[in-house]
Amino acid sequence: MKQPNQSSRRKFLRNGLSAAVAGTAIAQTACSTENEKPSAQAPYINFNDSYHWKMVTTWPPNFPILGEGCNKFAQWVKEMSGGRMEITVYGGGELVPSLEVFDAVSNGAIELGHGAAYYWAGKIPAAQFFATVPFGMNAPQMNAWLVAGGGTELWQETYAPYNLLPFPGGNTGMQMGGWFNKEINSAEDINGLKMRIPGIGGKVFSRAGGTSVLVAGGEIYTNLERGVIDATEWIGPFHDYQMGFYNVAQYYYYPGWHEPGTALELFANKDKFEGLPSDLQAILRTCSERLNLWTLSQSEVMNSLYAHKLKTEENVEFRPFPTEVLDIFRKYSEEIVNDMTAADTASKKAYTSYKKFQDQFNEYAIYNEKIYYSSFQPNI
């Protein structure tokens, strides 16, 4: 028997897949009720069509883990789509400034963005609750809320007026409390201290008597070295090591009360996303889920390795914040969040869902994680 050539085989498979997709669509339509109709009809799948999108990020080009994950996301999309969809990734400042990523995707100039929701606090105060809250949920809890607890649906509702569709796009894990050139033995030691710390955490630090200073990432080291600031937080041991902070600060404090599990975001221009064929929409969703898992996993691995490296090779002194100081930070954090939710309806709605899930999780944790770490992990 004559064997079909490569072109014929490809045509046969393509036609077969098209028929299967069409059959599935007919079956789904036949089984749908009036209340289950999709919100938007995806275009017909044409396997000859190709799509070239751009992604802009808030991270420097090829930034370890965070920017690296965006590059991997683009690679996964290309592989899963058989080359039909290609995404070019631009670091902050390469195509648009880092803090203009939101607007560039919102107005449709760019198709995709990646960053952290608290960067848009000035535009959408409620966005901060989809990133992190001082003394809030850790990474597994954030993922549970966003993926299965209704958080993403609420997030999408919050971004809808801006024509954006957000998805969980990674997590840094629990961060460190920061690098200090002064010992923190009591709440009084915060008075007059200048620290680079943004977001809600920065407001808490200022209310506790310090001064929150906004400093670009590339300027932190020099400012800390010259005494322009007395302390800084960044991310965790891996990224902090890359920045060389151990050369200019004496004490490394923990825990990262201000960012216990910072969620990152991938967001698409909603109109352009809905204009894609259904299979490419599914591929983007699936790759965002993979990115979410990869980023957290990579962060946990590298932070544990570099925490050991900082202690054993650089002789960094890891110090816990005194309980008195953490209590003060917690008190002011609650006050600030209450002020936010009282002043903004969207913030109240987001935080009500967030806090309800956190309380539910904490109630359950006393039967497993809390007792496990306190009783069965002697080295923790």
Side-chain angles (χ1 to χ4, degrees):
M1 177 182 291
K2 182 180 180 181
Q3 296 295 320
N5 59 32
Q6 189 69 18
S7 177
S8 299
R9 186 179 298 111
R10 190 180 297 112
K11 183 177 181 181
F12 172 79
L13 292 173
R14 182 175 294 171
N15 290 341
L17 182 56
S18 296
V21 171
T24 301
I26 292 171
Q28 289 176 338
T29 301
C31 295
S32 295
T33 66
E34 287 299 313
N35 293 329
E36 294 172 341
K37 289 181 179 179
S39 58
Q41 184 65 44
Y44 174 77
I45 298 175
N46 185 336
F47 290 99
N48 291 317
D49 288 344
S50 60
Y51 298 82
H52 299 271
W53 277 21
K54 294 185 287 292
M55 176 195 286
V56 288
T57 80
T58 59
W59 324 116
N62 303 309
F63 189 63
I65 301 182
L66 281 65
E68 182 185 359
C70 294
N71 295 334
K72 286 184 175 293
F73 171 84
Q75 174 189 335
W76 297 331
V77 169
K78 183 176 181 179
E79 291 172 352
M80 289 186 68
S81 67
R84 289 169 51 225
M85 187 168 200
E86 293 191 32
I87 299 171
T88 303
V89 179
Y90 297 90
E94 286 191 312
L95 197 59
V96 299
S98 296
L99 296 184
E100 292 181 18
V101 166
F102 185 96
D103 290 335
V105 180
S106 175
N107 64 33
I110 306 293
E111 292 86 1
L112 290 169
H114 192 272
Y118 54 27
Y119 289 145
W120 328 125
K123 187 185 302 290
I124 315 174
Q128 297 172 90
F129 298 111
F130 302 104
T132 191
V133 177
F135 299 98
M137 291 190 277
N138 62 18
Q141 293 167 349
M142 279 296 291
N143 269 333
W145 177 56
L146 292 173
V147 174
T152 293
E153 291 79 6
L154 190 55
W155 196 358
Q156 292 175 349
E157 178 185 321
T158 303
Y159 277 23
Y162 301 89
N163 197 33
L164 292 174
L165 193 62
F167 307 98
N171 198 299
T172 65
M174 187 159 199
Q175 299 192 11
M176 289 291 287
W179 298 85
F180 289 73
N181 273 323
K182 177 182 176 182
E183 291 185 81
I184 306 300
N185 295 314
S186 68
E188 285 73 25
D189 291 324
I190 300 297
N191 291 330
L193 210 64
K194 299 185 297 294
M195 182 175 185
R196 184 269 180 193
I197 177 171
I200 300 176
K203 295 177 181 178
V204 171
F205 190 79
S206 294
R207 189 168 294 191
T211 300
S212 169
V213 180
L214 297 179
V215 177
E219 300 173 2
I220 298 175
Y221 183 97
T222 302
N223 284 355
L224 193 58
E225 182 182 34
R226 295 177 178 176
V228 176
I229 56 176
D230 305 301
T232 185
E233 60 81 47
W234 185 233
I235 302 178
F238 172 63
H239 288 97
D240 291 5
Y241 181 92
Q242 308 302 319
M243 296 287 278
F245 292 143
Y246 58 89
N247 290 315
V248 290
Q250 187 172 357
Y251 308 109
Y252 200 20
Y253 275 88
Y254 65 91
W257 57 272
H258 61 301
E259 296 197 43
T262 304
L264 309 177
E265 62 177 358
L266 175 77
F267 51 95
N269 178 275
K270 191 170 185 289
D271 290 339
K272 296 196 175 185
F273 182 87
E274 292 178 346
L276 289 173
S278 58
D279 67 323
L280 293 184
Q281 291 184 16
I283 286 171
L284 288 175
R285 292 180 187 276
T286 300
C287 289
S288 72
E289 292 171 359
R290 184 176 179 183
L291 174 63
N292 193 42
L293 175 62
W294 182 88
T295 304
L296 175 59
S297 301
Q298 193 73 2
S299 295
E300 295 288 82
V301 168
M302 299 307 287
N303 281 329
S304 61
L305 288 173
Y306 276 79
H308 179 74
K309 191 178 183 73
L310 285 167
K311 289 186 69 173
T312 59
E313 296 181 15
E314 306 301 339
N315 298 314
V316 169
E317 189 171 349
F318 284 65
R319 287 199 173 189
F321 282 114
T323 300
E324 173 193 343
V325 173
L326 290 176
D327 287 344
I328 290 291
F329 286 159
R330 183 190 295 273
K331 173 179 180 292
Y332 290 137
S333 177
E334 291 174 354
E335 289 181 2
I336 289 169
V337 169
N338 287 338
D339 291 344
M340 290 173 59
T341 56
D344 180 58
T345 302
S347 291
K348 182 176 182 179
K349 186 173 184 179
Y351 187 63
T352 297
S353 174
Y354 180 104
K355 189 65 167 62
K356 180 181 179 181
F357 191 86
Q358 183 184 11
D359 291 344
Q360 171 187 318
F361 206 107
N362 288 344
E363 182 180 351
Y364 175 56
I366 64 174
Y367 305 116
N368 44 63
E369 289 189 4
K370 185 175 181 179
I371 191 68
Y372 178 77
Y373 285 120
S374 63
S375 301
F376 302 110
Q377 293 289 298
N379 293 326
I380 295 181

